[in-house]
Amino acid sequence: MKKAIVSFCLMSLLAAPALAMTVSPLQLGVWGPNIQLVSEHTPVVGVRLNVAMSDNKEVMGVDFGLVSRSGRMDAIQLNLANFVDTDFNGLTLGLFNQMGSVSGVQAGLFNNVAHDMNGFQFGLFNVADDVSGFQIGLINRTMSMRGIQIGLVNQIEEGPITFFPFLNAAF
């Protein structure tokens, strides 16, 4: 009986580090996937600090620093530049924001969403493929829209009015 208990305890101790690194509560990134606390393949659920740049496939929580790269993100994000390959859900603030799809709020000088934007996009220059919500900025551009654009230049390529200054809408 003692041998079984000792064997079980030893196996548990050896297995614990493997289980512990399936997700990480903290990421500290110095330079992309090469110099950071945990691997780019380890999901971060908690806080990610980008001294210069971090790169992870998936992030949930709070993300801030200089440059952020991610495959997918559910977070509050505050960086100089934000790059998310596929889906972003939450609030992103940065000088330059490049996302695949966004559900939430995107604010910055230059905002670019390759696919769907559901929510609010605030900036000097806002671009999205399909918008459901609002674009507020100096220049707003989208292919299709269900919502309102407010800005100096407003373009909805597949809208009833393709270009209109100050205010444009499509439903």
Side-chain angles (χ1 to χ4, degrees), residues 132-152:
S132 293
F134 294 91
Q135 283 184 316
I136 300 173
L138 188 64
I139 298 170
N140 301 303
R141 182 180 175 278
T142 186
M143 290 295 292
S144 62
M145 182 161 207
R146 288 166 307 289
I148 297 172
Q149 293 177 322
I150 300 171
L152 184 62

Side-chain angles (χ1 to χ4, degrees), residues 91-168:
L91 168 67
T92 182
L93 303 169
L95 296 178
F96 181 82
N97 300 306
Q98 171 75 43
M99 313 282 172
S101 295
V102 173
S103 290
V105 177
Q106 185 180 52
L109 294 179
F110 300 97
N111 299 310
N112 187 12
V113 177
H115 303 292
D116 299 336
M117 172 68 204
N118 296 303
F120 298 92
Q121 197 174 37
F122 300 103
L124 288 178
F125 186 69
N126 298 312
V127 176
D129 186 44
D130 180 49
V131 176
S132 293
F134 294 91
Q135 283 184 316
I136 300 173
L138 188 64
I139 298 170
N140 301 303
R141 182 180 175 278
T142 186
M143 290 295 292
S144 62
M145 182 161 207
R146 288 166 307 289
I148 297 172
Q149 293 177 322
I150 300 171
L152 184 62
V153 175
N154 300 298
Q155 182 180 10
I156 305 171
E157 291 185 22
E158 297 173 359
I161 301 172
T162 58
F163 169 79
F164 206 80
F166 306 117
L167 181 69
N168 200 358

Side-chain angles (χ1 to χ4, degrees), residues 37-118:
L37 188 61
V38 296
S39 165
E40 66 183 299
H41 302 290
T42 303
V44 177
V45 179
V47 177
R48 185 167 81 163
L49 305 171
N50 312 309
V51 175
M53 184 173 94
S54 290
D55 191 350
N56 291 90
K57 298 297 180 203
E58 190 169 353
V59 178
M60 295 175 68
V62 179
D63 177 49
F64 58 94
L66 294 180
V67 178
S68 171
R69 290 194 55 82
S70 180
R72 183 180 185 294
M73 186 173 284
D74 297 309
I76 296 172
Q77 186 178 46
L78 176 60
N79 293 287
L80 290 179
N82 298 301
F83 301 93
V84 178
D85 296 334
T86 59
D87 299 327
F88 177 84
N89 300 301
L91 168 67
T92 182
L93 303 169
L95 296 178
F96 181 82
N97 300 306
Q98 171 75 43
M99 313 282 172
S101 295
V102 173
S103 290
V105 177
Q106 185 180 52
L109 294 179
F110 300 97
N111 299 310
N112 187 12
V113 177
H115 303 292
D116 299 336
M117 172 68 204
N118 296 303

